[in-house]
Amino acid sequence: MTGTWRGVRGGPAVTYGLIAACCLLFLFGPVSGLNPVYGTGDALLAAQGSYFRRWGSSPPS
């Protein structure tokens, strides 16, 4: 087959959508500390610890 490959029109919408969804999940989760629902101080630390235990992610120590 000869000729040029034209690619898909419109750009990588699915990729950008997945990146946006991941960013929103991070911002509204307890890890970011930006959502006031999780509280501040000890309440936020407890929410973050619970999140890390449930999802198996932990910050390096």
Side-chain angles (χ1 to χ4, degrees), residues 30 43-57:
L44 179 59
L45 289 175
Q48 289 173 341
S50 175
Y51 179 86
F52 293 142
R53 282 189 298 279
R54 176 180 171 114
W55 297 106
S57 60

Side-chain angles (χ1 to χ4, degrees), residues 6-13:
R6 295 187 180 204
V8 179
R9 296 171 90 188

Side-chain angles (χ1 to χ4, degrees), residues 12-29 51:
V14 173
T15 303
Y16 292 152
L18 288 172
I19 291 170
C22 288
C23 290
L24 287 174
L25 285 173
F26 173 77
L27 289 176
F28 289 112
Y51 179 86

